[in-house]
Amino acid sequence: MPDTPVALPAELRTNLDRAVAQVNSVVLGKASQVNLAFVSLLAGGHLLIEDLPGVGKTTLAHALAATLDLSFQRIQFTSDLLPSDIIGVSIFERDHNRFEFHPGPLFAQLVLADEINRATPKTQSALLEAMAEQQVTVDGRSHALPAPFFVVATQNPLDLAGTYPLPDSQLDRFLLRISLDYPSREAERELLTSANRQQIIAKLAPCMSAAEIQTLREHVGAVVTSPALIDYVQGLISITRAHAEIRIGLSPRAGLALLMAARSHALVAGRGYCLPEDVQAVFVPVAAHRLTLSGAGTRDRLQLARALLNEVPVR
Amino acid sequence: MRLDRRQFDLLTLTIVLVLSTHVGHLPLWANLAAGLLVGGRWLQRSYRPGLGAMPVWLRLPLTLGLPVAVIAQFGTVLGLEPGSVLAIGMLVLKLGESEKVRDARAALTFAGFILMAALLFDQGLLGALHVAVAVGLVFLCLRELEIPPGERRGPLFGRELLGGARAIALSVAAAVPLTLLVFLFLPRLAQPLWGAPDNLDARTGVSEVMTPGQFQSLMIDDSPAFRVQFATGQPPPPQQRYWRGLVLNRFDGLNWTRTDSSSHRPVESNLQLLSAPLDYEVTMEPTQQRWLFPLDVPTAAPERFLRNVDLTLTGFRPIGAVQRFSMSSALEFRLAGLNPTQRQNALALPYGYNPRAQALGAQWREQYGDNAERIAAAAMKLFRDEFSYTLTPPPLGRNGMDDFIFETKAGYCEYFASAFAVLLRSAGVPTRVVVGYQGGFWNPTGEYLLVRQSDAHAWNEVWLGERGWVRMDPTAAVRPERVSLGSRAASGAETSWYRSEWLMTLRDRWDLVNQLWNEVVVQFDTLRQQGLLRQFGVAQADWNQLALAFAIGTSLLLAFALWWALRAGRDRQDLIDRAYAALCRRLQRAGVERAAHEGPAAYLQRLRAALPQSAAELEPLFADYIRLRYARRDADAAESRRFAQAARRFRPRRNSG
């Protein structure tokens, strides 16, 4: 690999590589999705996994939690879940004669929000607000969420009865939206023949600390994006705004998210600078769920986002 | 869009410069009116911009009055001069109503037309430079109009204008090749389509009528009349530099004029050449007259000119532009042939004029009898002993020659020639007056002889029986320096400051520059064009061939310009991008085409698989490219060059297997 403008400390580098490898050893044949999960983590964004039940969404989240030395909470979203159930509640303490805040399950560094679309919009909003602001406010008092704060939410797109799918505007809160899909034949064979995933995860040893993640996030900010790369990113953004099949193109915030994700991808790939390939690798997960289609075409958002990549030349 | 202050100032300045190219040949009222309107408009726009454009009640009468004034001055609106005045008036009025960028653009486009008209009046070097400067300013002004009004706030003559000037200079430089092509190959008409200006009142030169005192303004006019280059490279001695213009035979007591019979063809046997003919080329400034000034005497007439019986050369058309003639003359000759009519003409004197001169002539006749030579010698002696040379002679009365010969006794060539002829005719000796030029200044740098208007001269030819017509110059008797050293020396003490030595040297240099300009640019006519083509192997270029060559040349040039423009548009990139694009094209020919959306790392990945034999060379190249293009915020120039060189050197290897 070519030299990096700001080299990552060797220990950090090996830890990151080991962490990625460890998650890959649990979630078989999903190297790119695992990669994107780390991209999201290091870019300081949240991850939405949208797929059918049973393809390993929860396994991925668990593997991440076990690999990263982070406090972990899992919230199973249901239709009767209330905001206070996830945020926490103030209870009157008779001993001290005052209200005391009891933090809810959201107060963890890694939160798995399972089947987020089953909760009511009110509860969803509470979660999304916390994700955006890194803090919650109860009874007029703000409580900071722990850092790093990383939410992995899952959503089942098919099972629509009694669900409240996230509206487009709120999808924007997630940096990346990925889907896992069925494993390949070889991966599935290994899955079937090897030990129970739960047991494997239970044996995993964490290999990255919260402090290390913070350092890596700082390094993501220092990844070089050259003028040529910015040109390319701008080309991608502008084509979404002028495309016949798209009603609402990428917002400036989406552009920033794209660049941030690309930087993070570069860092995970071991480079201190961004390549067009980094942008291409993150473009579909970053952009697809942010596009609003005009209905003029027959392609869905994923197909369209992939097609857009072929329409913008790299100089 | 309304013009902002600085745009209007620049527009006014441009139009003033454009108008200044015409100042010299406009009627005074037109100059004054234009100055007044432009100045007034500028003041109004600067201090009362709220008033807007010139109101209709002012504009309409001015617009209608303009053609009326032109007709009053010239009697017509057609022709070069009335047309120019009309056009200039319209430009001034256009400035009056220019409030918007669109108006200014129209005014400037029209100004280009007026500049073209200026070149019809004056094709000299200074005039051309003047026009060139004005054209440059017009371009600059057009460019400034492209900037939205109010955007620029700095002073008018600031760095921005300088930048604009540089851009204009570049664009003009880019137009030079096409201009040269047009200049060299555009078929030319022998005479300009639009004709020459009708009256050049200022530049009369030697005219058809000689009246003592008429040369007055001519004698101090140092503008060039013609320039001569000799085949031998050396001019004849000063005493033999007589440039024969016209022969004047008829005297009416005041004026000397030609007789009609002088236009008869000469009888060949009458002229006997006593020396070898001298070949030379004369470059005439436009005279608006029909005759030439060959060295005394011409052996033949150039094309489109006739040699008359008195050995003058007259053409069919006035000389309206700088023209070049090849001529040949014999300096030693004998001109015989005097038939009774001619003798009568050469003796005629008006009745009742100059009685004292006639009496003196009659007295000589009695004294010397038939001996013409002795009579002439007596006259010469009279001049030599009693007359003086001055450029400011006292005025003469009705019997002008009597007054001159017996009273004032001071004058210059016209006076002497006229008086000499009157005296000799009174004594019964056939005599005539020749006007033309005498002398000329040898410019050693340019190796040509410059004859100025101030070299205008008049002398006599006297019939000496067997010797035929003999040239006699009474001026030379009075003031030998006039002939041996030229008109400058003759005026002697009357030398003004502007004729001082160093200034004259400077003027000689300047004249050389003008001569080159004439030679290279102004006189590039059909003949020279064909001469040029002959050097390229085109023996007899006709109109059609020239037009065809011109069309082909222009098309090629335009095609090239189009190709260049398209190419420049396609990859308007820096060095790195060009080199990378070239590298990709080469790899494409090797069978691995880069998709437009393919990044360098992905491409390299494919190349490794597709061209394994070249991979070792490609790896560092791509690493360099990626580093320069993506790992830096701006690339290092030296490194970029190194990469570009390396990329150009790269050749995909053939698969050895």
Side-chain angles (χ1 to χ4, degrees):
Chain A
M1 278 294 156
D3 63 318
T4 54
V6 179
L8 213 52
E11 195 190 349
L12 217 52
R13 179 77 255 165
T14 45
N15 283 354
L16 178 59
D17 291 343
R18 257 176 57 207
V20 175
Q22 186 165 313
V23 176
N24 270 325
S25 71
V26 179
V27 185
L28 298 171
K30 297 286 168 217
S32 78
Q33 282 89 340
V34 170
N35 225 19
L36 287 171
F38 276 92
V39 165
S40 184
L41 170 73
L42 299 185
H46 306 285
L47 182 67
L48 176 64
I49 307 175
E50 203 175 68
D51 217 325
L52 302 169
V55 291
K57 300 194 288 281
T58 316
T59 308
L60 173 59
H62 274 152
L64 274 175
T67 304
L68 308 171
D69 189 11
L70 300 176
S71 59
F72 176 66
Q73 285 284 354
R74 171 179 177 167
I75 311 171
Q76 183 66 47
F77 278 48
T78 56
S79 56
D80 55 358
L81 194 73
L82 293 175
S84 55
D85 293 339
I86 59 169
I87 291 172
V89 68
S90 291
I91 296 171
F92 187 75
E93 295 276 335
R94 196 169 304 220
D95 300 350
H96 300 100
N97 207 20
R98 61 186 162 96
F99 282 96
E100 205 153 274
F101 180 64
H102 289 252
L106 204 53
F107 283 79
Q109 288 168 315
L110 174 55
V111 175
L112 172 60
D114 223 352
E115 298 194 80
I116 188 174
N117 55 337
R118 290 204 173 278
T120 56
K122 194 176 177 183
T123 311
Q124 287 173 357
S125 296
L127 172 69
L128 295 168
E129 266 178 56
M131 282 162 54
E133 289 162 23
Q134 303 271 319
Q135 65 177 21
V136 291
T137 306
V138 180
D139 295 336
R141 281 180 50 198
S142 297
H143 304 274
L145 291 167
F149 179 64
F150 181 47
V151 174
V152 179
T154 69
Q155 181 167 253
N156 181 352
L158 284 187
D159 199 4
L160 289 175
T163 64
Y164 305 91
L166 289 176
D168 285 351
S169 60
Q170 294 194 330
L171 284 174
D172 202 358
R173 308 276 178 197
F174 292 96
L175 179 68
L176 301 180
R177 184 185 68 166
I178 60 174
S179 55
L180 286 175
D181 222 331
Y182 293 123
S184 64
R185 194 178 168 79
E186 295 76 37
E188 189 150 24
R189 188 173 186 84
E190 198 185 337
L191 183 71
L192 293 171
T193 52
S194 63
N196 188 332
R197 295 292 112 184
Q198 306 291 347
Q199 291 169 359
I200 296 174
I201 290 172
K203 284 182 206 156
L204 291 180
C207 45
M208 258 172 96
S209 68
E212 280 177 322
I213 290 173
Q214 290 292 20
T215 316
L216 282 169
R217 283 184 173 183
E218 281 162 26
H219 274 97
V220 167
V223 166
V224 171
T225 50
S226 68
L229 186 97
I230 303 287
D231 283 348
Y232 180 60
V233 169
Q234 280 196 308
L236 282 171
I237 294 170
S238 60
I239 199 171
T240 66
R241 294 177 187 165
H243 203 278
E245 292 180 38
I246 300 172
R247 186 152 64 87
I248 303 173
L250 292 182
S251 65
R253 183 162 72 192
L256 285 170
L258 178 60
L259 197 61
M260 198 63 191
R263 281 177 159 155
S264 183
H265 189 273
L267 189 83
V268 173
R271 268 178 279 110
Y273 53 88
C274 233
L275 282 183
E277 282 85 346
D278 294 318
V279 180
Q280 290 168 349
V282 299
F283 180 72
V284 176
V286 169
H289 63 286
R290 289 173 157 100
L291 297 175
T292 308
L293 299 189
S294 66
T298 55
R299 293 181 283 193
D300 67 17
R301 297 199 276 199
L302 283 173
Q303 291 169 329
L304 187 59
R306 269 182 224 120
L308 286 180
L309 277 181
N310 291 344
E311 288 177 31
V312 180
V314 175
R315 285 200 301 178
Chain B
M1 276 181 297
R2 200 160 177 272
L3 292 165
D4 66 11
R5 172 89 189 262
R6 50 177 293 152
Q7 282 172 336
F8 191 84
D9 285 353
L10 191 61
L11 177 68
T12 312
L13 181 70
T14 307
I15 286 183
V16 166
L17 193 65
V18 168
L19 294 179
S20 70
T21 58
H22 280 270
V23 163
H25 45 256
L26 284 187
L28 186 62
W29 63 265
N31 279 330
L32 285 178
L36 211 64
L37 282 171
V38 172
R41 169 73 174 142
W42 183 79
L43 286 173
Q44 176 258 318
R45 181 67 206 236
S46 300
Y47 298 104
R48 294 276 185 280
L51 293 180
M54 193 188 279
V56 171
W57 57 262
L58 189 58
R59 212 187 313 157
L60 195 65
L62 282 174
T63 312
L64 294 177
L66 178 63
V68 175
V70 169
I71 289 174
Q73 171 84 30
F74 300 100
T76 172
V77 290
L78 302 176
L80 183 59
E81 283 190 311
S84 305
V85 176
L86 212 55
I88 286 164
M90 286 172 187
L91 179 64
V92 171
L93 290 172
K94 185 72 200 169
L95 179 70
E97 65 165 16
S98 287
E99 272 296 307
K100 295 183 177 154
V101 172
R102 198 170 44 120
D103 296 325
R105 234 173 252 151
L108 287 173
T109 314
F110 192 58
F113 181 74
I114 287 176
L115 287 176
M116 191 199 80
L119 284 177
L120 302 184
F121 284 98
D122 181 8
Q123 301 171 344
L125 182 56
L126 274 185
L129 282 177
H130 192 171
V131 168
V133 170
V135 167
L137 201 58
V138 166
F139 285 156
L140 184 59
C141 196
L142 277 173
R143 186 176 187 276
E144 289 296 300
L145 290 180
E146 294 303 316
I147 293 144
E151 194 165 279
R152 289 194 172 166
R153 307 211 172 277
L156 177 56
F157 297 101
R159 184 174 301 173
E160 288 156 336
L161 202 68
L162 200 69
R166 200 171 303 133
I168 292 300
L170 272 177
S171 320
V172 171
V176 164
L178 186 62
T179 313
L180 271 182
L181 198 70
V182 171
F183 179 77
L184 291 178
F185 295 111
L186 188 71
R188 276 150 195 275
L189 305 174
Q191 284 283 314
L193 274 177
W194 46 82
D198 302 330
N199 58 336
L200 278 177
D201 40 8
R203 273 302 125 69
T204 44
V206 170
S207 75
E208 222 163 331
V209 180
M210 188 191 87
T211 313
Q214 190 197 25
F215 278 8
Q216 189 96 56
S217 59
L218 212 54
M219 302 299 279
I220 54 167
D221 181 0
D222 275 343
S223 61
F226 52 90
R227 300 179 177 86
V228 192
Q229 282 170 306
F230 295 91
T232 56
Q234 284 299 318
Q239 294 81 1
Q240 286 189 306
R241 294 180 200 156
Y242 280 87
W243 308 94
R244 191 185 188 88
L246 288 169
V247 173
L248 309 176
N249 242 333
R250 176 182 294 154
F251 185 57
D252 65 2
L254 187 65
N255 305 316
W256 286 90
T257 49
R258 304 172 71 197
T259 47
D260 297 335
S261 60
S262 60
S263 60
H264 291 178
R265 307 297 302 275
V267 182
E268 283 305 324
S269 58
N270 282 346
L271 178 64
Q272 222 180 321
L273 302 182
L274 302 178
S275 67
L278 183 67
D279 291 328
Y280 55 95
E281 299 217 321
V282 175
T283 309
M284 290 285 295
E285 294 287 322
T287 58
Q288 312 308 328
Q289 314 276 23
R290 296 191 300 135
W291 52 88
L292 293 178
F293 298 93
L295 263 180
D296 224 5
V297 288
T299 56
E303 225 176 307
R304 295 199 292 268
F305 277 83
L306 283 181
R307 195 164 61 139
N308 304 313
V309 68
D310 55 12
L311 294 181
T312 56
L313 301 179
T314 44
F316 301 118
R317 286 216 188 92
I319 299 164
V322 174
Q323 259 178 294
R324 195 183 174 94
F325 303 95
S326 291
M327 295 199 271
S328 117
S329 289
L331 300 178
E332 307 284 334
F333 60 93
R334 210 171 89 188
L335 180 56
L338 184 73
N339 61 32
T341 326
Q342 287 167 340
R343 170 177 284 273
Q344 187 126 28
N345 280 338
L347 284 172
L349 282 173
Y351 178 75
Y353 282 90
N354 305 316
R356 295 170 70 191
Q358 297 207 18
L360 180 62
Q363 185 200 323
W364 284 346
R365 179 79 193 179
E366 278 180 25
Q367 205 172 337
Y368 305 116
D370 262 352
N371 196 333
E373 279 179 60
R374 290 188 63 185
I375 295 173
M380 284 295 208
K381 185 176 183 310
L382 176 72
F383 284 119
R384 191 180 306 121
D385 292 348
E386 297 184 22
F387 284 67
S388 63
Y389 186 94
T390 175
L391 281 180
T392 50
L396 305 175
R398 178 178 176 276
N399 291 313
M401 288 304 102
D402 274 4
D403 291 351
F404 175 67
I405 297 168
F406 301 103
E407 309 292 336
T408 65
K409 298 184 191 244
Y412 50 89
C413 55
E414 280 185 318
Y415 293 78
F416 300 126
S418 184
F420 189 79
V422 169
L423 283 173
L424 262 67
R425 283 187 176 192
S426 304
V429 181
T431 311
R432 56 193 188 185
V433 173
V434 185
V435 289
Y437 295 88
Q438 199 283 322
F441 175 80
W442 180 247
N443 191 323
T445 336
E447 295 207 327
Y448 63 87
L449 192 75
L450 166 68
V451 179
R452 293 193 171 86
Q453 294 294 357
S454 56
D455 290 322
H457 193 52
W459 62 93
N460 300 96
E461 278 180 346
V462 182
W463 180 259
L464 295 180
E466 284 164 22
R467 289 177 59 193
W469 288 106
V470 174
R471 181 172 67 217
M472 291 198 178
D473 191 347
T475 314
V478 178
R479 192 82 173 210
E481 301 95 319
R482 171 65 187 87
V483 174
S484 57
L485 295 178
S487 55
R488 276 184 220 166
S491 42
E494 293 170 62
T495 302
S496 310
W497 64 268
Y498 60 82
R499 290 190 174 198
S500 53
E501 197 56 43
W502 63 272
L503 205 57
M504 295 315 272
T505 324
L506 209 62
R507 288 163 64 127
D508 290 335
R509 296 270 155 78
W510 174 237
D511 189 74
L512 175 62
V513 176
N514 268 309
Q515 158 75 358
L516 285 174
W517 167 256
N518 275 342
E519 186 123 327
V520 175
V521 180
V522 179
Q523 296 170 59
F524 190 83
D525 56 5
T526 317
L527 284 174
R528 303 264 308 268
Q529 195 171 39
Q530 286 180 354
L532 180 81
L533 290 174
R534 213 168 290 133
Q535 289 187 352
F536 287 101
V538 185
Q540 276 292 316
D542 64 1
W543 248 86
N544 294 340
Q545 282 176 340
L546 263 184
L548 193 68
F550 178 68
I552 290 173
T554 315
S555 312
L556 283 179
L557 204 64
L558 284 178
F560 172 76
L562 193 67
W563 171 79
W564 190 76
L566 286 179
R567 207 185 75 103
R570 192 186 62 202
D571 46 27
R572 193 183 299 132
Q573 311 148 333
D574 60 7
L575 190 63
I576 304 175
D577 283 341
R578 276 203 304 277
Y580 183 61
L583 179 65
C584 290
R585 277 199 294 279
R586 224 166 283 138
L587 288 167
Q588 176 188 343
R589 280 198 290 277
V592 192
E593 187 182 358
R594 183 175 80 94
H597 60 271
E598 198 168 15
Y603 189 36
L604 179 62
Q605 194 74 34
R606 282 200 307 128
L607 286 169
R608 275 195 205 111
L611 300 171
Q613 67 278 15
S614 292
E617 289 167 72
L618 286 171
E619 297 275 359
L621 267 183
F622 273 74
D624 280 347
Y625 174 70
I626 286 171
R627 196 181 65 243
L628 288 168
R629 185 85 301 187
Y630 292 107
R632 301 277 159 85
R633 287 212 158 75
D634 43 7
D636 175 57
E639 243 184 308
S640 305
R641 269 197 300 280
R642 234 173 293 136
F643 163 71
Q645 284 165 3
R648 290 210 181 90
R649 270 200 302 274
F650 170 79
R651 293 284 178 279
R653 278 192 201 169
R654 298 268 155 244
N655 205 335
S656 48

